[in-house]
Amino acid sequence: MAANFGLAILVTCALVLAGACSGAPDTELQVGYYQDTCPKAEAIVRAAVSDAVAEDAGIGAGLIRLLFHDCFVEGCDASVLLDPTKKNPSPEKLGAPNVHSLRGFEAIDAAKFALEDACPGVVSCADVVAFAARDASYLLSGYRVDFDMPAGRFDGRHSNASDTVPSLPAPSANLAQLIDNFAAKGLDAEDMVVLSGAHSVGHARCSSFAGDRLGDGADIDPSFARSLRRRCNDTSEVEDPTVSQDPVTPVELDGQFYRNVLKGRVLLASDAALMETKEAARMVRESAGVSGRWEKKFGEAMVKMAGIEVKKAGRRGEIRTNCRLVN
């Protein structure tokens, strides 16, 4: 398995260097893209995100996840924001990995409303999603995840729920499947391990992990498993309870996730899979170690992910007036 992991990294790197990955991140995006056309754009988004996170830290976790679910399906084009219409009754947000799961739409709406008031028709919803994920990372990490987010994305017009399951990694995925999924988007194995650290914030529904993690033979800390069974079996208030992904620092974006992985105290099978090979386990230990190392790499990986399959102006891209509807 370790040999397969190394081979996967080599293949991934070769594809990226050759430009053969259809999802290879865009390199034409620019930091300060709106400096001349809408100088306060990033400040406006940060204000909206700050308000939302101050009211509910879970919205911050949702905004980080929103970027991931947007970029892995049709690229970073805000297609995940589109509402169902008569012409398109089943957009991405109704896909199985997204429906009743994604959060943060109202924060994006608030930012876009303020942007349209300040600079009508200038800032894309796709850039708002990217800025919002950056700002949520900054706030939830106690300002330790601090990076510039390039911009210049356009909004896509295509959004289909059927594209979500094939594009997004399943919570039950093993390491090889995770590597393949990220490689298809131009991201390497280290990007995958680093971005998995976003699971240090937010919640997961019991239905997303109970079958894989709470049965016989699962590689999970026994006391942690018992506490999860108690929580998931309590359906007195909701049919599908939710559990904090990080029971130690549930509203802090930090390296605690990796310490949880090392102790077998993570919810998803795909998180536990990070220990399947020596090389992946080494990356986990490094991310759990020296303070600041993971935070820096997380910012770099977020920028790389936010450049996946970026739309250009023209037939495939536009600047939406309302992030929930195509123009």
Side-chain angles (χ1 to χ4, degrees):
M1 188 67 177
N4 290 341
F5 182 88
L7 178 60
I9 294 176
L10 291 173
V11 171
T12 300
C13 292
L15 287 171
V16 172
L17 290 172
C21 286
S22 62
D26 189 281
T27 58
E28 296 181 12
L29 301 175
Q30 300 174 19
V31 172
Y33 180 82
Y34 295 107
Q35 185 172 352
D36 295 329
T37 56
C38 190
K40 295 183 179 180
E42 295 190 45
I44 289 171
V45 175
R46 178 157 292 190
V49 173
S50 296
D51 289 345
V53 172
E55 185 173 335
D56 181 355
I59 297 298
L63 289 169
I64 296 170
R65 187 165 179 251
L66 199 60
L67 178 66
F68 174 65
H69 280 234
D70 183 38
C71 292
F72 267 57
V73 185
E74 281 293 310
C76 305
D77 65 350
S79 53
V80 74
L81 303 180
L82 291 172
D83 280 345
T85 63
K86 287 184 178 180
K87 286 188 176 180
N88 184 19
S90 298
E92 289 172 30
K93 64 169 54 173
L94 297 186
N98 297 338
V99 68
H100 308 309
S101 173
L102 291 183
R103 304 182 68 192
F105 297 110
E106 291 77 13
I108 299 296
D109 290 339
K112 181 61 171 174
F113 179 82
L115 287 166
E116 286 300 301
D117 185 55
C119 315
V122 174
V123 182
S124 70
C125 298
D127 280 340
V128 175
V129 171
F131 290 149
R134 184 267 314 269
D135 296 338
S137 300
Y138 177 72
L139 293 169
L140 292 180
S141 68
Y143 319 132
R144 290 185 296 273
V145 175
D146 188 6
F147 60 96
D148 292 322
M149 177 60 79
R153 302 164 189 82
F154 281 77
D155 301 324
R157 297 186 177 97
H158 175 83
S159 182
N160 197 309
S162 64
D163 294 331
T164 58
V165 171
S167 301
L168 291 163
S172 60
N174 61 33
L175 185 63
Q177 291 168 332
L178 290 171
I179 291 172
D180 288 345
N181 186 275
F182 277 68
K185 303 301 177 183
L187 302 175
D188 61 30
E190 185 175 28
D191 295 325
M192 181 270 293
V193 174
V194 168
L195 289 169
S196 294
H199 289 172
S200 66
V201 289
H203 293 74
R205 294 182 180 275
C206 287
S207 59
S208 69
F209 65 84
D212 298 308
R213 301 289 285 151
L214 301 183
D216 295 336
D219 183 16
I220 187 171
D221 176 77
S223 64
F224 186 54
R226 286 193 295 272
S227 69
L228 292 177
R229 289 191 190 97
R230 284 194 297 270
R231 172 61 180 157
C232 292
N233 289 335
D234 182 6
T235 57
S236 58
E237 295 184 4
V238 291
E239 183 177 344
D240 191 5
T242 61
V243 181
S244 293
Q245 296 210 85
D246 177 2
V248 182
T249 56
V251 295
E252 296 179 27
L253 183 65
D254 56 21
Q256 180 61 45
F257 165 78
Y258 299 98
R259 293 185 277 277
N260 295 341
V261 172
L262 292 170
K263 294 177 180 178
R265 296 177 66 85
V266 287
L267 300 182
L268 306 181
S270 57
D271 291 337
L274 301 182
M275 296 298 291
E276 285 183 4
T277 69
K278 291 182 179 179
E279 181 64 12
R282 178 190 64 78
M283 295 180 189
V284 170
R285 285 192 294 272
E286 287 180 352
S287 295
V290 180
S291 177
R293 183 187 186 279
W294 171 77
E295 287 83 354
K296 181 176 183 294
K297 286 186 172 293
F298 184 75
E300 294 169 351
M302 285 284 280
V303 169
K304 190 173 177 182
M305 180 177 70
I308 295 173
E309 298 174 41
V310 168
K311 303 293 188 297
K312 304 299 183 182
R315 185 174 62 84
R316 298 189 67 203
E318 64 182 9
I319 304 294
R320 286 184 217 142
T321 302
N322 180 341
C323 289
R324 294 173 179 263
L325 300 170
V326 296
N327 291 343

